[in-house]
């Protein structure tokens, strides 16, 4: 007791000291970021705020990326479409800066994260408004998908990032007991990221945070549909890097079309791509020329399974939020709903009631549940999917409404829609929708629900709801996908310690979590002598050149001594090893085999 009491007092004192230190705010400087050209204060001249009319069909590629608000068609400006040579210059500059940054301390990197976190918290309105103007999403969707996820990633990196990048010691096995084995994580160099438009803030910060914290430089090619916001968010990153005296040009944000992305793939040490399966295949093809490693997150067709023992009012609210997430522009949103036949009618009725109360409109013009679709012509594609389903027997049972829309912006909106009597012959149940459509299909057994959910080319995520958690876990475990929240939706992404990614046409590789952080690293295996120079590897006499006649018998006995399943057989083999070694006089003694 006399020994343990001082230890207890010391431990208690350490806990108290740690708690008191938490009460002392860290010294985090503020940064100034120029916002003069992104804040819509009504002072813009008519010449700089005209209505932009994009061309129909495929986006024409030129030397300029034209930017406008999808909800109002208000012109925002343009950015250059970089050529291959210009992209290579950006990568070269990042490569020079990275060599210096690779030697930075984790303390400096953590301060960079704290500065970013402070700015984000203090400027949530600004960040969300910029995202809303550029993509058409509502402020609520922006703060959920842009701010919270990014803040969670930063706080996870602050708490655990250094731990997962330090050398990790591993067992050395039986034959290498005299060795120390470890895995080291070194920066790869310059990471390239090609990101989508649906979360313009988070999609830039997500790969940037992992790359920079692990000692890399990064060049990010933003979508041509979200270049205006991306270039503003870049200013935040630049200001934070300057505040910690990081080398210039460590992070780059570039704009352009396909040529710009292709040049980036061939110039960097790793590529992270978030986008469509079609473009992902082209990324892989280009990356194969230089054997650049790739991480592909290619969207999904996530299944939302509802068993017959759920709290229907609760689940219907979650279901609608899942389907309409991010103004119907759902990256990890539910797109296929499977409901047990015993509660099917009740579920459809309550979902329809909620959807009919949903109103779409210009996100900054009033209180709307949904904003505009970002991509021009996407509303027409959604309607074609609905028409295909209707022609094959589906039925629309409910639609949301529109608020006050300008005449020039009507085709950028699509009403939230509930469709029943759907089946897997319909494109709506097979192709990625990326829109506010809720197709609901009934099932009779858990086995049928699993079969239906797995009948897809995609495999990003799922959601399974049941009043019996064991039942929900059993179903989720049999779904072929990368993320599987149980009795919840999208909660896996808010746990930033977890990896994110899919299988099949949803891509491969992982970002976020330990796996995503280490994916930005050269993973190096290192072995060294445990008691150097007193104990080190020597080549046994029978194996020294020229080898002895009994060298094979020696090695055979050694394998049995080390790895035999029976302890007595291993002891017997060990005796044989000793016997051979003691009988061996010299490498040349005895009769040699004919050469």
């Amino acid at each position: 007791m006399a020994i343990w009491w001082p230890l207890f007092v010391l431990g208690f004192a350490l806990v108290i000291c740690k708690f008191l230190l938490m009460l002392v705010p860290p010294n985090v400087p503020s940064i100034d970021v120029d916002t003069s050209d992104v804040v819509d204060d009504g002072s813009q001249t008519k010449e700089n705020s005209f209505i932009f009319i994009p061309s129909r069909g495929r986006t024409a590629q030129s030397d300029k990326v034209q930017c406008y608000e999808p909800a109002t068609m208000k012109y925002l400006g343009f950015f250059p479409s970089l050529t291959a040579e210009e992209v290579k210059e950006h990568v070269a500059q990042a490569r020079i800066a990275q060599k210096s940054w690779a030697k930075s301390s984790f303390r400096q990197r953590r301060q960079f994260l704290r500065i970013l976190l402070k700015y984000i918290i203090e400027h949530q309105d600004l960040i969300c408004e910029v995202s809303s103007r550029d993509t058409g999403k509502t402020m609520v969707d922006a703060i959920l998908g842009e701010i919270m996820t990014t803040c969670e990633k930063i706080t996870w990196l602050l708490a655990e990032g250094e731990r997962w990048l330090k050398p990790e010691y591993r067992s050395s096995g039986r034959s290498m007991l005299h060795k120390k084995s470890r895995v080291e994580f070194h920066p790869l160099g310059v990471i390239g990221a090609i990101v989508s438009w649906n979360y313009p803030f988070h999609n830039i910060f997500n790969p940037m945070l992992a790359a920079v914290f692990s000692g890399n430089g990064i060049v990010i090619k933003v979508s041509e549909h979200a270049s205006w916001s991306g270039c503003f968010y870049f200013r935040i990153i630049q200001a934070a890097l300057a505040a910690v005296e990081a080398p210039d040009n460590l992070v780059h944000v570039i704009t352009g079309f396909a040529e710009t992305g292709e040049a980036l793939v061939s110039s960097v040490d790793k590529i992270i791509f978030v986008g469509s399966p079609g473009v992902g295949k082209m990324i892989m093809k280009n990356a194969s020329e230089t054997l650049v490693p790739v991480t592909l997150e290619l969207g999904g067709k996530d299944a939302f399974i509802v068993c017959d023992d759920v709290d229907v009012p609760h689940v219907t609210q979650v279901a609608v939020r899942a389907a309409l997430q991010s103004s119907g522009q759902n990256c990890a949103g539910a797109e296929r709903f499977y409901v047990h036949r015993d509660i099917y009618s009740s579920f459809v009725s309550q979902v329809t009631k909620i959807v009919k109360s949903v109103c779409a409109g210009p996100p900054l013009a009033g209180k709307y549940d949904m904003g505009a679709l970002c991509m021009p012509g996407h509303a027409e594609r959604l309607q074609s999917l609905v028409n295909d389903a209707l022609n094959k027997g589906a039925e629309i049972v409910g639609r949301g409404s529109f608020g006050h829309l300008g005449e020039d912006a009507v085709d950028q909106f699509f009403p939230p829609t509930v469709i029943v009597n759907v089946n897997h012959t319909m494109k709506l149940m097979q192709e990625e929708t990326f829109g506010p459509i809720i197709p609901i299909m009934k099932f009779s057994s858990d086995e049928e629900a699993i079969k239906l959910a797995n009948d897809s080319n995609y495999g990003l995520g799922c959601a399974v709801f049941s009043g019996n958690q064991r039942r929900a876990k059993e179903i989720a475990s049999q779904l072929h996908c990368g993320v599987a929240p149980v009795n919840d939706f999208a909660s896996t992404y808010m746990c930033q310690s977890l990896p994110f990614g899919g299988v099949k046409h949803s891509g491969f590789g992982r970002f976020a979590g330990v796996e995503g952080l280490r994916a930005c690293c050269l993973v190096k295996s290192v072995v060294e002598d445990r008691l150097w120079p007193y104990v080190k590897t020597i080549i046994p006499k029978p194996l020294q050149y020229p080898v002895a006649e009994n060298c094979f018998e020696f090695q055979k006995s050694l394998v049995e001594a080390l790895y035999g399943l029976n302890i007595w057989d291993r002891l017997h083999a060990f005796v044989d090893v000793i016997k051979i070694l003691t009988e061996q006089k010299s490498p040349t003694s005895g009769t040699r085999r004919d050469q």
Side-chain angles (χ1 to χ4, degrees), residues 235-258:
R235 298 178 197 169
I236 302 173
I237 298 169
Q238 285 180 305
L241 287 170
V244 297
E245 299 182 343
D248 294 337
N249 298 312
L250 183 66
V251 177
H252 294 249
V253 168
I254 60 176
T255 53
F257 298 97

Side-chain angles (χ1 to χ4, degrees), residues 64-338:
K64 294 180 180 179
V65 177
Q66 305 285 2
C67 305
Y68 61 95
E69 293 182 6
T72 63
M73 297 298 176
K74 181 178 179 180
Y75 188 64
L76 296 172
F78 68 88
F79 293 90
S81 178
L82 300 188
T83 65
E85 289 303 315
E86 290 172 324
V87 172
K88 291 178 181 178
E89 178 60 26
H90 279 276
V91 174
Q93 293 174 0
R95 200 173 295 284
I96 294 172
Q98 186 275 331
K99 293 184 184 302
S100 173
W101 182 250
K103 302 173 185 177
S104 63
S105 66
F106 282 111
R107 181 180 181 181
Q108 185 180 12
R109 299 177 194 180
R110 279 193 294 270
Q111 184 71 338
F112 168 64
L113 298 187
R114 292 190 188 100
I115 292 171
L116 286 176
L117 183 60
K118 180 179 181 179
Y119 185 89
I120 293 169
I121 293 172
E122 293 177 349
H123 297 83
Q124 296 181 61
D125 290 37
L126 171 66
I127 293 168
C128 291
E129 182 177 332
V130 170
S131 174
S132 178
R133 291 184 66 189
D134 208 15
T135 65
K137 67 176 63 181
T138 63
M139 293 286 283
V140 171
D141 283 324
I143 200 167
L144 288 172
E146 306 274 33
I147 300 295
M148 284 196 67
T149 51
T150 303
C151 289
E152 187 66 37
K153 186 176 187 73
I154 292 175
T155 53
W156 177 75
L157 282 171
L158 286 170
E160 299 186 37
E162 180 179 358
R163 166 192 172 191
W164 295 112
L165 292 177
K166 283 186 174 181
E168 182 177 284
Y169 285 86
R170 307 282 180 87
S171 62
S172 296
R174 293 178 179 177
S175 62
M176 293 286 126
L177 284 174
H178 60 297
K179 299 285 188 178
K180 290 191 295 185
S181 305
R182 66 178 181 273
V183 180
E184 295 178 350
F185 303 95
H186 301 274
L188 277 174
V190 177
I191 307 294
I194 302 176
V195 298
S196 60
W197 47 265
N198 56 333
Y199 295 99
F201 181 75
H202 181 69
N203 283 350
I204 289 175
F205 273 68
N206 184 38
M208 183 278 299
L209 290 166
V212 171
F213 192 80
S214 55
N216 294 283
I218 185 169
V219 179
I220 307 167
K221 191 267 180 190
V222 292
S223 169
E224 58 269 30
H225 300 295
S227 296
W228 180 76
S229 57
C231 289
F232 168 68
Y233 297 144
F234 178 43
R235 298 178 197 169
I236 302 173
I237 298 169
Q238 285 180 305
L241 287 170
V244 297
E245 299 182 343
D248 294 337
N249 298 312
L250 183 66
V251 177
H252 294 249
V253 168
I254 60 176
T255 53
F257 298 97
E259 180 188 15
T260 306
E262 291 171 5
L264 184 61
V265 173
S266 62
S267 306
V268 294
D269 301 301
K270 177 186 174 67
I271 196 76
I272 299 171
F273 174 72
V274 181
S276 68
V279 178
K281 291 178 182 179
M282 289 190 287
I283 296 288
M284 280 193 66
K285 183 178 179 180
N286 293 335
S288 69
E289 297 295 327
T290 51
L291 295 179
V292 173
V294 297
T295 294
L296 300 179
E297 196 279 280
L298 307 178
K301 194 73 180 172
D302 291 7
F304 192 104
I305 298 175
V306 183
C307 297
D308 55 329
D309 54 359
V310 300
D311 177 357
V312 175
H314 165 71
V315 176
T316 51
Q317 279 287 343
V318 178
V320 175
R321 166 56 66 180
L324 309 186
Q325 180 180 344
S326 196
S327 303
Q329 305 161 7
N330 38 326
C331 175
E335 293 199 351
R336 297 177 294 151
F337 293 80
Y338 301 104

Side-chain angles (χ1 to χ4, degrees), residues 306-308 338-347 441-445 448 471:
V306 183
C307 297
D308 55 329
Y338 301 104
V339 180
H340 196 281
R341 64 172 55 253
D342 290 349
I343 61 168
Y344 182 81
S345 297
S346 174
F347 183 88
M441 185 174 178
K442 65 180 68 173
F443 67 87
S444 300
S445 66
E448 183 184 7
R471 178 185 182 186

Side-chain angles (χ1 to χ4, degrees), residues 264-585:
L264 184 61
V265 173
S266 62
S267 306
V268 294
D269 301 301
K270 177 186 174 67
I271 196 76
I272 299 171
F273 174 72
V274 181
S276 68
V279 178
K281 291 178 182 179
M282 289 190 287
I283 296 288
M284 280 193 66
K285 183 178 179 180
N286 293 335
S288 69
E289 297 295 327
T290 51
L291 295 179
V292 173
V294 297
T295 294
L296 300 179
E297 196 279 280
L298 307 178
K301 194 73 180 172
D302 291 7
F304 192 104
I305 298 175
V306 183
C307 297
D308 55 329
D309 54 359
V310 300
D311 177 357
V312 175
H314 165 71
V315 176
T316 51
Q317 279 287 343
V318 178
V320 175
R321 166 56 66 180
L324 309 186
Q325 180 180 344
S326 196
S327 303
Q329 305 161 7
N330 38 326
C331 175
E335 293 199 351
R336 297 177 294 151
F337 293 80
Y338 301 104
V339 180
H340 196 281
R341 64 172 55 253
D342 290 349
I343 61 168
Y344 182 81
S345 297
S346 174
F347 183 88
V348 170
S349 175
Q350 294 191 45
V351 166
T352 303
K353 181 179 179 181
I354 296 172
V355 166
K356 285 182 177 180
S357 70
V358 174
C359 187
L364 297 178
K367 186 178 179 181
Y368 293 107
D369 302 293
M370 284 180 50
L373 300 177
C374 182
M375 297 176 65
H378 191 58
E380 296 173 0
R381 178 180 178 274
L382 294 179
Q383 189 59 53
S384 70
L385 293 175
V386 171
N387 291 341
D388 174 75
L390 296 177
N391 292 336
K392 294 176 180 177
E395 176 187 358
I396 295 177
V397 294
R399 303 194 95 164
S401 60
F402 287 137
H404 175 69
L405 303 178
E407 293 182 0
D408 296 312
V410 172
D411 62 351
Q412 291 290 107
F413 293 82
F414 193 87
T417 303
V418 183
I419 301 182
V420 297
N421 299 330
V422 294
N423 59 62
H424 281 206
T425 67
M426 302 171 183
K427 294 179 181 179
L428 185 61
M429 298 296 283
Q430 294 294 338
E431 298 181 12
E432 186 175 32
T433 308
F434 233 78
I437 303 175
I438 308 177
I440 308 175
M441 185 174 178
K442 65 180 68 173
F443 67 87
S444 300
S445 66
D446 294 357
E447 291 73 22
E448 183 184 7
I450 293 167
K451 182 178 179 180
L452 289 169
N454 285 333
D455 181 25
S456 173
N457 289 328
Y458 293 95
L460 182 57
C462 69
V464 182
F465 287 80
S466 171
N468 183 326
Q469 186 147 327
R470 183 176 180 180
R471 178 185 182 186
K473 288 167 60 178
E474 179 63 23
I475 294 174
S477 69
Q478 299 180 63
L479 301 184
H480 194 38
C481 59
V483 294
V486 173
N487 281 323
D488 206 342
F489 173 78
S491 56
T492 48
Y493 201 71
M494 285 304 297
C495 299
Q496 280 292 314
S497 63
L498 297 177
F500 182 83
V503 295
K504 298 190 283 189
H505 284 195
S506 290
F508 57 83
R510 297 293 183 266
F511 58 75
V514 180
E515 292 77 3
L517 185 61
R518 289 179 171 179
C520 294
C521 299
L522 165 64
V523 182
K524 181 181 294 185
S525 299
V526 178
V527 177
E528 61 179 311
D529 288 307
R530 192 182 300 275
L531 298 173
W532 173 265
Y534 306 106
V535 178
K536 50 189 175 182
T537 302
I538 59 172
I539 300 176
K541 284 287 186 180
L543 299 180
Q544 293 180 9
Y545 290 115
V547 296
E549 185 176 0
N550 59 354
C551 64
F552 181 79
E553 287 73 16
F554 168 79
Q555 191 62 34
K556 180 180 176 182
S557 296
L558 183 61
V559 168
E560 293 176 354
L562 289 171
Y563 310 113
L565 297 178
N566 186 300
I567 184 64
W568 300 111
D569 291 342
R570 288 173 61 190
L571 288 173
H572 180 74
F574 182 73
V575 170
D576 289 341
V577 168
I578 300 299
K579 182 178 180 182
I580 293 173
L581 287 174
T582 56
E583 291 178 351
Q584 192 72 35
K585 296 179 180 179

